Amino acid sequence: MDLFLQAAIDEARQGLKEGGIPIGSVIVHQGRIIGRGHNRRVQKGSVILHGEMDAFENAGRQPASVYRECVLYTTLSPCPMCSGAIALYGIPKVVIGENRNFMGEEEWLKSRGVEVEVVDDPACVELMRRFAAEHPTLWNEDIGA
């Protein structure tokens, strides 16, 4: 298992423990995590704190040159908002834990020159499958359905 994807999974599990939606993300620069986060929409009453957005927030201000050398790991395919942030900050590569439960803007990211790798990790698939089955209203709210 990739250590960085595992860190994103750990973030997702932390979010679930807090009563939130189990999606986690880490931003890696030169082999070191500079930002980590998990979906905290429920915990913070936030409209924007998806896992990727929380990781960006926790990475803090970084020069564009740093973001252009980063890899973003996320447990679930990124939504339009998170994909926009990935493109805005010039993240060149995104590693996605799974896209079976939700297919985000992968093709749009590719069209913007972002390398997209889908791992199809069983732990990520099961975490989201179970959550969506147990909390369909909250899950649909999170994805805008």
Side-chain angles (χ1 to χ4, degrees):
M1 159 77 60
D2 183 298
L3 292 175
F4 298 125
L5 181 58
Q6 184 59 57
I9 293 169
D10 293 344
E11 285 291 327
R13 289 184 175 138
Q14 179 63 32
L16 186 61
K17 251 174 56 177
E18 295 170 0
I21 299 164
I23 302 168
S25 183
V26 296
I27 300 170
V28 177
H29 181 253
Q30 297 180 349
R32 185 175 66 82
I33 295 173
I34 63 167
R36 57 189 317 136
H38 51 273
N39 187 306
R40 294 190 304 151
R41 291 183 64 250
V42 172
Q43 300 92 311
K44 296 285 187 177
S46 170
V47 70
I48 62 165
L49 280 181
H50 282 189
E52 299 91 338
M53 301 302 279
D54 193 38
F56 275 117
E57 180 70 16
N58 292 325
R61 283 183 60 205
Q62 299 291 331
S65 60
V66 169
Y67 282 126
R68 284 194 298 267
E69 297 175 341
C70 287
V71 177
L72 185 142
Y73 291 75
T74 182
T75 58
L76 187 66
S77 189
C79 76
M81 173 180 66
C82 296
S83 295
I86 290 164
L88 177 67
Y89 293 108
I91 301 287
K93 182 176 180 178
V94 176
V95 177
I96 298 167
E98 71 106 345
N99 62 6
R100 292 186 199 187
N101 288 290
F102 177 78
M103 173 62 77
E105 297 300 318
E106 295 173 26
E107 291 306 315
W108 183 82
L109 284 167
K110 290 176 188 175
S111 78
R112 306 285 295 193
V114 177
E115 180 184 345
V116 174
E117 178 184 338
V118 180
V119 177
D120 199 29
D121 180 81
C124 293
V125 173
E126 180 57 20
L127 200 56
M128 284 314 309
R129 186 206 59 75
R130 181 178 296 142
F131 182 83
E134 292 174 0
H135 306 279
T137 303
L138 184 55
W139 172 235
N140 286 335
E141 173 190 322
D142 197 62
I143 62 172

PDB file of all heavy atoms in Angstrom, residues 49-85:
ATOM      1  N   LEU A  49     -15.624  22.520   2.891  1.00  0.00           N
ATOM      2  CA  LEU A  49     -14.523  21.718   3.435  1.00  0.00           C
ATOM      3  C   LEU A  49     -14.602  20.236   3.049  1.00  0.00           C
ATOM      4  O   LEU A  49     -14.724  19.361   3.893  1.00  0.00           O
ATOM      5  CB  LEU A  49     -14.420  21.884   4.950  1.00  0.00           C
ATOM      6  CG  LEU A  49     -13.715  23.139   5.397  1.00  0.00           C
ATOM      7  CD1 LEU A  49     -13.641  23.215   6.912  1.00  0.00           C
ATOM      8  CD2 LEU A  49     -12.329  23.269   4.793  1.00  0.00           C
ATOM      9  N   HIS A  50     -14.493  19.991   1.750  1.00  0.00           N
ATOM     10  CA  HIS A  50     -14.286  18.631   1.273  1.00  0.00           C
ATOM     11  C   HIS A  50     -12.869  18.222   1.681  1.00  0.00           C
ATOM     12  O   HIS A  50     -12.065  19.067   2.084  1.00  0.00           O
ATOM     13  CB  HIS A  50     -14.421  18.570  -0.241  1.00  0.00           C
ATOM     14  CG  HIS A  50     -15.838  18.592  -0.713  1.00  0.00           C
ATOM     15  ND1 HIS A  50     -16.177  18.357  -2.024  1.00  0.00           N
ATOM     16  CD2 HIS A  50     -17.003  18.806  -0.062  1.00  0.00           C
ATOM     17  CE1 HIS A  50     -17.490  18.424  -2.167  1.00  0.00           C
ATOM     18  NE2 HIS A  50     -18.017  18.700  -0.987  1.00  0.00           N
ATOM     19  N   GLY A  51     -12.538  16.941   1.555  1.00  0.00           N
ATOM     20  CA  GLY A  51     -11.217  16.466   1.965  1.00  0.00           C
ATOM     21  C   GLY A  51     -10.076  17.203   1.284  1.00  0.00           C
ATOM     22  O   GLY A  51      -9.105  17.607   1.927  1.00  0.00           O
ATOM     23  N   GLU A  52     -10.203  17.411  -0.021  1.00  0.00           N
ATOM     24  CA  GLU A  52      -9.141  18.090  -0.762  1.00  0.00           C
ATOM     25  C   GLU A  52      -9.024  19.554  -0.335  1.00  0.00           C
ATOM     26  O   GLU A  52      -7.914  20.070  -0.167  1.00  0.00           O
ATOM     27  CB  GLU A  52      -9.409  18.015  -2.271  1.00  0.00           C
ATOM     28  CG  GLU A  52      -9.461  16.606  -2.818  1.00  0.00           C
ATOM     29  CD  GLU A  52     -10.850  15.977  -2.815  1.00  0.00           C
ATOM     30  OE1 GLU A  52     -11.732  16.424  -2.032  1.00  0.00           O
ATOM     31  OE2 GLU A  52     -11.063  15.035  -3.581  1.00  0.00           O
ATOM     32  N   MET A  53     -10.165  20.205  -0.149  1.00  0.00           N
ATOM     33  CA  MET A  53     -10.154  21.620   0.243  1.00  0.00           C
ATOM     34  C   MET A  53      -9.558  21.776   1.643  1.00  0.00           C
ATOM     35  O   MET A  53      -8.830  22.739   1.910  1.00  0.00           O
ATOM     36  CB  MET A  53     -11.559  22.211   0.174  1.00  0.00           C
ATOM     37  CG  MET A  53     -12.195  22.126  -1.205  1.00  0.00           C
ATOM     38  SD  MET A  53     -11.250  22.947  -2.505  1.00  0.00           S
ATOM     39  CE  MET A  53     -11.776  24.631  -2.223  1.00  0.00           C
ATOM     40  N   ASP A  54      -9.850  20.840   2.538  1.00  0.00           N
ATOM     41  CA  ASP A  54      -9.290  20.864   3.883  1.00  0.00           C
ATOM     42  C   ASP A  54      -7.768  20.671   3.822  1.00  0.00           C
ATOM     43  O   ASP A  54      -7.020  21.342   4.542  1.00  0.00           O
ATOM     44  CB  ASP A  54      -9.949  19.782   4.738  1.00  0.00           C
ATOM     45  CG  ASP A  54      -9.670  19.931   6.223  1.00  0.00           C
ATOM     46  OD1 ASP A  54      -9.637  21.068   6.737  1.00  0.00           O
ATOM     47  OD2 ASP A  54      -9.516  18.890   6.893  1.00  0.00           O
ATOM     48  N   ALA A  55      -7.308  19.781   2.946  1.00  0.00           N
ATOM     49  CA  ALA A  55      -5.861  19.581   2.783  1.00  0.00           C
ATOM     50  C   ALA A  55      -5.189  20.854   2.260  1.00  0.00           C
ATOM     51  O   ALA A  55      -4.124  21.237   2.749  1.00  0.00           O
ATOM     52  CB  ALA A  55      -5.586  18.398   1.848  1.00  0.00           C
ATOM     53  N   PHE A  56      -5.816  21.525   1.289  1.00  0.00           N
ATOM     54  CA  PHE A  56      -5.276  22.799   0.806  1.00  0.00           C
ATOM     55  C   PHE A  56      -5.225  23.818   1.941  1.00  0.00           C
ATOM     56  O   PHE A  56      -4.226  24.504   2.127  1.00  0.00           O
ATOM     57  CB  PHE A  56      -6.118  23.368  -0.343  1.00  0.00           C
ATOM     58  CG  PHE A  56      -5.758  22.841  -1.701  1.00  0.00           C
ATOM     59  CD1 PHE A  56      -6.670  22.109  -2.435  1.00  0.00           C
ATOM     60  CD2 PHE A  56      -4.515  23.092  -2.262  1.00  0.00           C
ATOM     61  CE1 PHE A  56      -6.356  21.634  -3.702  1.00  0.00           C
ATOM     62  CE2 PHE A  56      -4.180  22.625  -3.515  1.00  0.00           C
ATOM     63  CZ  PHE A  56      -5.107  21.886  -4.241  1.00  0.00           C
ATOM     64  N   GLU A  57      -6.313  23.916   2.691  1.00  0.00           N
ATOM     65  CA  GLU A  57      -6.374  24.865   3.804  1.00  0.00           C
ATOM     66  C   GLU A  57      -5.258  24.588   4.817  1.00  0.00           C
ATOM     67  O   GLU A  57      -4.598  25.506   5.290  1.00  0.00           O
ATOM     68  CB  GLU A  57      -7.747  24.781   4.483  1.00  0.00           C
ATOM     69  CG  GLU A  57      -7.939  25.718   5.639  1.00  0.00           C
ATOM     70  CD  GLU A  57      -8.031  27.183   5.247  1.00  0.00           C
ATOM     71  OE1 GLU A  57      -8.247  27.483   4.049  1.00  0.00           O
ATOM     72  OE2 GLU A  57      -7.884  28.029   6.134  1.00  0.00           O
ATOM     73  N   ASN A  58      -5.044  23.318   5.117  1.00  0.00           N
ATOM     74  CA  ASN A  58      -4.036  22.957   6.103  1.00  0.00           C
ATOM     75  C   ASN A  58      -2.611  23.051   5.576  1.00  0.00           C
ATOM     76  O   ASN A  58      -1.669  23.156   6.367  1.00  0.00           O
ATOM     77  CB  ASN A  58      -4.335  21.566   6.673  1.00  0.00           C
ATOM     78  CG  ASN A  58      -5.590  21.576   7.516  1.00  0.00           C
ATOM     79  OD1 ASN A  58      -5.890  22.553   8.196  1.00  0.00           O
ATOM     80  ND2 ASN A  58      -6.342  20.495   7.460  1.00  0.00           N
ATOM     81  N   ALA A  59      -2.452  23.040   4.254  1.00  0.00           N
ATOM     82  CA  ALA A  59      -1.124  23.262   3.664  1.00  0.00           C
ATOM     83  C   ALA A  59      -0.730  24.735   3.802  1.00  0.00           C
ATOM     84  O   ALA A  59       0.452  25.062   3.806  1.00  0.00           O
ATOM     85  CB  ALA A  59      -1.109  22.843   2.192  1.00  0.00           C
ATOM     86  N   GLY A  60      -1.724  25.593   3.917  1.00  0.00           N
ATOM     87  CA  GLY A  60      -1.436  27.026   4.054  1.00  0.00           C
ATOM     88  C   GLY A  60      -0.960  27.628   2.746  1.00  0.00           C
ATOM     89  O   GLY A  60      -0.939  26.968   1.705  1.00  0.00           O
ATOM     90  N   ARG A  61      -0.571  28.886   2.830  1.00  0.00           N
ATOM     91  CA  ARG A  61      -0.072  29.569   1.631  1.00  0.00           C
ATOM     92  C   ARG A  61       1.233  28.936   1.196  1.00  0.00           C
ATOM     93  O   ARG A  61       2.167  28.812   1.979  1.00  0.00           O
ATOM     94  CB  ARG A  61       0.166  31.044   1.927  1.00  0.00           C
ATOM     95  CG  ARG A  61      -1.100  31.842   1.976  1.00  0.00           C
ATOM     96  CD  ARG A  61      -0.833  33.314   2.201  1.00  0.00           C
ATOM     97  NE  ARG A  61      -0.018  33.861   1.137  1.00  0.00           N
ATOM     98  CZ  ARG A  61       0.748  34.939   1.289  1.00  0.00           C
ATOM     99  NH1 ARG A  61       0.807  35.571   2.436  1.00  0.00           N
ATOM    100  NH2 ARG A  61       1.465  35.382   0.281  1.00  0.00           N
ATOM    101  N   GLN A  62       1.261  28.542  -0.059  1.00  0.00           N
ATOM    102  CA  GLN A  62       2.470  27.978  -0.663  1.00  0.00           C
ATOM    103  C   GLN A  62       2.707  28.703  -1.977  1.00  0.00           C
ATOM    104  O   GLN A  62       1.758  29.070  -2.663  1.00  0.00           O
ATOM    105  CB  GLN A  62       2.290  26.485  -0.955  1.00  0.00           C
ATOM    106  CG  GLN A  62       2.013  25.623   0.254  1.00  0.00           C
ATOM    107  CD  GLN A  62       3.207  25.508   1.179  1.00  0.00           C
ATOM    108  OE1 GLN A  62       4.359  25.595   0.743  1.00  0.00           O
ATOM    109  NE2 GLN A  62       2.944  25.320   2.455  1.00  0.00           N
ATOM    110  N   PRO A  63       3.961  28.919  -2.342  1.00  0.00           N
ATOM    111  CA  PRO A  63       4.213  29.507  -3.660  1.00  0.00           C
ATOM    112  C   PRO A  63       3.725  28.581  -4.766  1.00  0.00           C
ATOM    113  O   PRO A  63       3.711  27.352  -4.584  1.00  0.00           O
ATOM    114  CB  PRO A  63       5.740  29.641  -3.715  1.00  0.00           C
ATOM    115  CG  PRO A  63       6.266  29.270  -2.380  1.00  0.00           C
ATOM    116  CD  PRO A  63       5.174  28.626  -1.596  1.00  0.00           C
ATOM    117  N   ALA A  64       3.356  29.157  -5.874  1.00  0.00           N
ATOM    118  CA  ALA A  64       2.900  28.358  -7.019  1.00  0.00           C
ATOM    119  C   ALA A  64       3.951  27.326  -7.406  1.00  0.00           C
ATOM    120  O   ALA A  64       3.611  26.210  -7.809  1.00  0.00           O
ATOM    121  CB  ALA A  64       2.576  29.268  -8.199  1.00  0.00           C
ATOM    122  N   SER A  65       5.216  27.673  -7.257  1.00  0.00           N
ATOM    123  CA  SER A  65       6.294  26.743  -7.616  1.00  0.00           C
ATOM    124  C   SER A  65       6.239  25.470  -6.781  1.00  0.00           C
ATOM    125  O   SER A  65       6.599  24.391  -7.258  1.00  0.00           O
ATOM    126  CB  SER A  65       7.655  27.422  -7.456  1.00  0.00           C
ATOM    127  OG  SER A  65       7.854  27.835  -6.109  1.00  0.00           O
ATOM    128  N   VAL A  66       5.789  25.560  -5.542  1.00  0.00           N
ATOM    129  CA  VAL A  66       5.652  24.371  -4.691  1.00  0.00           C
ATOM    130  C   VAL A  66       4.491  23.520  -5.182  1.00  0.00           C
ATOM    131  O   VAL A  66       4.633  22.306  -5.387  1.00  0.00           O
ATOM    132  CB  VAL A  66       5.475  24.764  -3.208  1.00  0.00           C
ATOM    133  CG1 VAL A  66       5.055  23.556  -2.359  1.00  0.00           C
ATOM    134  CG2 VAL A  66       6.758  25.375  -2.671  1.00  0.00           C
ATOM    135  N   TYR A  67       3.318  24.127  -5.378  1.00  0.00           N
ATOM    136  CA  TYR A  67       2.157  23.360  -5.821  1.00  0.00           C
ATOM    137  C   TYR A  67       2.404  22.684  -7.162  1.00  0.00           C
ATOM    138  O   TYR A  67       1.899  21.596  -7.414  1.00  0.00           O
ATOM    139  CB  TYR A  67       0.904  24.231  -5.867  1.00  0.00           C
ATOM    140  CG  TYR A  67       0.293  24.457  -4.502  1.00  0.00           C
ATOM    141  CD1 TYR A  67       0.045  25.737  -4.041  1.00  0.00           C
ATOM    142  CD2 TYR A  67      -0.038  23.380  -3.678  1.00  0.00           C
ATOM    143  CE1 TYR A  67      -0.526  25.947  -2.784  1.00  0.00           C
ATOM    144  CE2 TYR A  67      -0.593  23.579  -2.435  1.00  0.00           C
ATOM    145  CZ  TYR A  67      -0.837  24.859  -1.989  1.00  0.00           C
ATOM    146  OH  TYR A  67      -1.387  25.047  -0.755  1.00  0.00           O
ATOM    147  N   ARG A  68       3.190  23.305  -8.031  1.00  0.00           N
ATOM    148  CA  ARG A  68       3.483  22.712  -9.344  1.00  0.00           C
ATOM    149  C   ARG A  68       4.354  21.463  -9.236  1.00  0.00           C
ATOM    150  O   ARG A  68       4.556  20.771 -10.228  1.00  0.00           O
ATOM    151  CB  ARG A  68       4.134  23.732 -10.261  1.00  0.00           C
ATOM    152  CG  ARG A  68       3.136  24.746 -10.815  1.00  0.00           C
ATOM    153  CD  ARG A  68       3.705  25.545 -11.979  1.00  0.00           C
ATOM    154  NE  ARG A  68       4.868  26.333 -11.608  1.00  0.00           N
ATOM    155  CZ  ARG A  68       4.832  27.601 -11.209  1.00  0.00           C
ATOM    156  NH1 ARG A  68       3.689  28.244 -11.153  1.00  0.00           N
ATOM    157  NH2 ARG A  68       5.941  28.241 -10.896  1.00  0.00           N
ATOM    158  N   GLU A  69       4.879  21.167  -8.041  1.00  0.00           N
ATOM    159  CA  GLU A  69       5.700  19.981  -7.816  1.00  0.00           C
ATOM    160  C   GLU A  69       5.000  18.971  -6.901  1.00  0.00           C
ATOM    161  O   GLU A  69       5.628  18.032  -6.427  1.00  0.00           O
ATOM    162  CB  GLU A  69       7.030  20.374  -7.172  1.00  0.00           C
ATOM    163  CG  GLU A  69       7.896  21.257  -8.033  1.00  0.00           C
ATOM    164  CD  GLU A  69       9.158  21.723  -7.321  1.00  0.00           C
ATOM    165  OE1 GLU A  69       9.221  21.669  -6.066  1.00  0.00           O
ATOM    166  OE2 GLU A  69      10.080  22.144  -8.022  1.00  0.00           O
ATOM    167  N   CYS A  70       3.731  19.154  -6.642  1.00  0.00           N
ATOM    168  CA  CYS A  70       3.011  18.316  -5.674  1.00  0.00           C
ATOM    169  C   CYS A  70       2.203  17.213  -6.343  1.00  0.00           C
ATOM    170  O   CYS A  70       1.844  17.297  -7.516  1.00  0.00           O
ATOM    171  CB  CYS A  70       2.052  19.176  -4.840  1.00  0.00           C
ATOM    172  SG  CYS A  70       2.883  20.212  -3.617  1.00  0.00           S
ATOM    173  N   VAL A  71       1.901  16.217  -5.532  1.00  0.00           N
ATOM    174  CA  VAL A  71       0.935  15.181  -5.892  1.00  0.00           C
ATOM    175  C   VAL A  71      -0.156  15.241  -4.828  1.00  0.00           C
ATOM    176  O   VAL A  71       0.145  15.298  -3.632  1.00  0.00           O
ATOM    177  CB  VAL A  71       1.576  13.777  -5.915  1.00  0.00           C
ATOM    178  CG1 VAL A  71       0.532  12.706  -6.230  1.00  0.00           C
ATOM    179  CG2 VAL A  71       2.726  13.719  -6.909  1.00  0.00           C
ATOM    180  N   LEU A  72      -1.405  15.263  -5.265  1.00  0.00           N
ATOM    181  CA  LEU A  72      -2.530  15.244  -4.341  1.00  0.00           C
ATOM    182  C   LEU A  72      -3.102  13.832  -4.335  1.00  0.00           C
ATOM    183  O   LEU A  72      -3.393  13.273  -5.393  1.00  0.00           O
ATOM    184  CB  LEU A  72      -3.591  16.254  -4.752  1.00  0.00           C
ATOM    185  CG  LEU A  72      -4.765  16.392  -3.782  1.00  0.00           C
ATOM    186  CD1 LEU A  72      -5.193  17.848  -3.682  1.00  0.00           C
ATOM    187  CD2 LEU A  72      -5.942  15.540  -4.199  1.00  0.00           C
ATOM    188  N   TYR A  73      -3.223  13.260  -3.162  1.00  0.00           N
ATOM    189  CA  TYR A  73      -3.836  11.947  -2.972  1.00  0.00           C
ATOM    190  C   TYR A  73      -5.204  12.167  -2.353  1.00  0.00           C
ATOM    191  O   TYR A  73      -5.336  12.944  -1.406  1.00  0.00           O
ATOM    192  CB  TYR A  73      -3.005  11.084  -2.015  1.00  0.00           C
ATOM    193  CG  TYR A  73      -1.684  10.651  -2.582  1.00  0.00           C
ATOM    194  CD1 TYR A  73      -0.616  11.535  -2.682  1.00  0.00           C
ATOM    195  CD2 TYR A  73      -1.496   9.342  -3.025  1.00  0.00           C
ATOM    196  CE1 TYR A  73       0.606  11.140  -3.200  1.00  0.00           C
ATOM    197  CE2 TYR A  73      -0.276   8.932  -3.549  1.00  0.00           C
ATOM    198  CZ  TYR A  73       0.771   9.837  -3.629  1.00  0.00           C
ATOM    199  OH  TYR A  73       1.979   9.435  -4.158  1.00  0.00           O
ATOM    200  N   THR A  74      -6.205  11.483  -2.882  1.00  0.00           N
ATOM    201  CA  THR A  74      -7.551  11.603  -2.337  1.00  0.00           C
ATOM    202  C   THR A  74      -8.234  10.242  -2.386  1.00  0.00           C
ATOM    203  O   THR A  74      -7.986   9.462  -3.308  1.00  0.00           O
ATOM    204  CB  THR A  74      -8.368  12.671  -3.090  1.00  0.00           C
ATOM    205  OG1 THR A  74      -9.660  12.787  -2.492  1.00  0.00           O
ATOM    206  CG2 THR A  74      -8.504  12.361  -4.567  1.00  0.00           C
ATOM    207  N   THR A  75      -9.060   9.970  -1.397  1.00  0.00           N
ATOM    208  CA  THR A  75      -9.696   8.660  -1.336  1.00  0.00           C
ATOM    209  C   THR A  75     -10.820   8.502  -2.342  1.00  0.00           C
ATOM    210  O   THR A  75     -11.200   7.379  -2.666  1.00  0.00           O
ATOM    211  CB  THR A  75     -10.229   8.374   0.081  1.00  0.00           C
ATOM    212  OG1 THR A  75     -11.156   9.386   0.464  1.00  0.00           O
ATOM    213  CG2 THR A  75      -9.087   8.293   1.087  1.00  0.00           C
ATOM    214  N   LEU A  76     -11.346   9.622  -2.851  1.00  0.00           N
ATOM    215  CA  LEU A  76     -12.481   9.576  -3.771  1.00  0.00           C
ATOM    216  C   LEU A  76     -12.261  10.564  -4.911  1.00  0.00           C
ATOM    217  O   LEU A  76     -11.689  11.636  -4.717  1.00  0.00           O
ATOM    218  CB  LEU A  76     -13.777   9.928  -3.022  1.00  0.00           C
ATOM    219  CG  LEU A  76     -15.087   9.762  -3.783  1.00  0.00           C
ATOM    220  CD1 LEU A  76     -15.350   8.290  -4.097  1.00  0.00           C
ATOM    221  CD2 LEU A  76     -16.241  10.326  -2.965  1.00  0.00           C
ATOM    222  N   SER A  77     -12.746  10.223  -6.084  1.00  0.00           N
ATOM    223  CA  SER A  77     -12.629  11.075  -7.262  1.00  0.00           C
ATOM    224  C   SER A  77     -13.092  12.500  -6.949  1.00  0.00           C
ATOM    225  O   SER A  77     -14.165  12.687  -6.372  1.00  0.00           O
ATOM    226  CB  SER A  77     -13.482  10.462  -8.383  1.00  0.00           C
ATOM    227  OG  SER A  77     -13.271  11.109  -9.606  1.00  0.00           O
ATOM    228  N   PRO A  78     -12.297  13.522  -7.286  1.00  0.00           N
ATOM    229  CA  PRO A  78     -12.615  14.896  -6.885  1.00  0.00           C
ATOM    230  C   PRO A  78     -13.810  15.502  -7.624  1.00  0.00           C
ATOM    231  O   PRO A  78     -13.951  15.376  -8.836  1.00  0.00           O
ATOM    232  CB  PRO A  78     -11.352  15.689  -7.216  1.00  0.00           C
ATOM    233  CG  PRO A  78     -10.314  14.706  -7.591  1.00  0.00           C
ATOM    234  CD  PRO A  78     -10.998  13.421  -7.932  1.00  0.00           C
ATOM    235  N   CYS A  79     -14.636  16.193  -6.864  1.00  0.00           N
ATOM    236  CA  CYS A  79     -15.811  16.892  -7.392  1.00  0.00           C
ATOM    237  C   CYS A  79     -15.373  18.110  -8.211  1.00  0.00           C
ATOM    238  O   CYS A  79     -14.186  18.455  -8.252  1.00  0.00           O
ATOM    239  CB  CYS A  79     -16.701  17.321  -6.222  1.00  0.00           C
ATOM    240  SG  CYS A  79     -16.060  18.758  -5.328  1.00  0.00           S
ATOM    241  N   PRO A  80     -16.311  18.823  -8.848  1.00  0.00           N
ATOM    242  CA  PRO A  80     -15.951  20.012  -9.618  1.00  0.00           C
ATOM    243  C   PRO A  80     -15.237  21.084  -8.794  1.00  0.00           C
ATOM    244  O   PRO A  80     -14.274  21.696  -9.270  1.00  0.00           O
ATOM    245  CB  PRO A  80     -17.295  20.524 -10.145  1.00  0.00           C
ATOM    246  CG  PRO A  80     -18.149  19.300 -10.229  1.00  0.00           C
ATOM    247  CD  PRO A  80     -17.734  18.454  -9.052  1.00  0.00           C
ATOM    248  N   MET A  81     -15.672  21.324  -7.557  1.00  0.00           N
ATOM    249  CA  MET A  81     -15.028  22.352  -6.725  1.00  0.00           C
ATOM    250  C   MET A  81     -13.571  21.984  -6.448  1.00  0.00           C
ATOM    251  O   MET A  81     -12.668  22.809  -6.631  1.00  0.00           O
ATOM    252  CB  MET A  81     -15.795  22.515  -5.407  1.00  0.00           C
ATOM    253  CG  MET A  81     -15.109  23.440  -4.413  1.00  0.00           C
ATOM    254  SD  MET A  81     -16.032  23.623  -2.866  1.00  0.00           S
ATOM    255  CE  MET A  81     -15.935  21.967  -2.177  1.00  0.00           C
ATOM    256  N   CYS A  82     -13.347  20.763  -6.009  1.00  0.00           N
ATOM    257  CA  CYS A  82     -11.993  20.340  -5.659  1.00  0.00           C
ATOM    258  C   CYS A  82     -11.108  20.250  -6.905  1.00  0.00           C
ATOM    259  O   CYS A  82      -9.929  20.598  -6.861  1.00  0.00           O
ATOM    260  CB  CYS A  82     -12.037  19.019  -4.907  1.00  0.00           C
ATOM    261  SG  CYS A  82     -12.891  19.167  -3.311  1.00  0.00           S
ATOM    262  N   SER A  83     -11.689  19.814  -8.010  1.00  0.00           N
ATOM    263  CA  SER A  83     -10.938  19.759  -9.271  1.00  0.00           C
ATOM    264  C   SER A  83     -10.527  21.157  -9.705  1.00  0.00           C
ATOM    265  O   SER A  83      -9.417  21.357 -10.213  1.00  0.00           O
ATOM    266  CB  SER A  83     -11.777  19.087 -10.356  1.00  0.00           C
ATOM    267  OG  SER A  83     -12.007  17.733 -10.021  1.00  0.00           O
ATOM    268  N   GLY A  84     -11.402  22.127  -9.489  1.00  0.00           N
ATOM    269  CA  GLY A  84     -11.064  23.509  -9.808  1.00  0.00           C
ATOM    270  C   GLY A  84      -9.879  24.004  -8.997  1.00  0.00           C
ATOM    271  O   GLY A  84      -8.989  24.678  -9.527  1.00  0.00           O
ATOM    272  N   ALA A  85      -9.840  23.662  -7.718  1.00  0.00           N
ATOM    273  CA  ALA A  85      -8.713  24.069  -6.864  1.00  0.00           C
ATOM    274  C   ALA A  85      -7.431  23.373  -7.313  1.00  0.00           C
ATOM    275  O   ALA A  85      -6.356  23.993  -7.337  1.00  0.00           O
ATOM    276  CB  ALA A  85      -9.016  23.752  -5.402  1.00  0.00           C
TER     277      ALA A  85
END
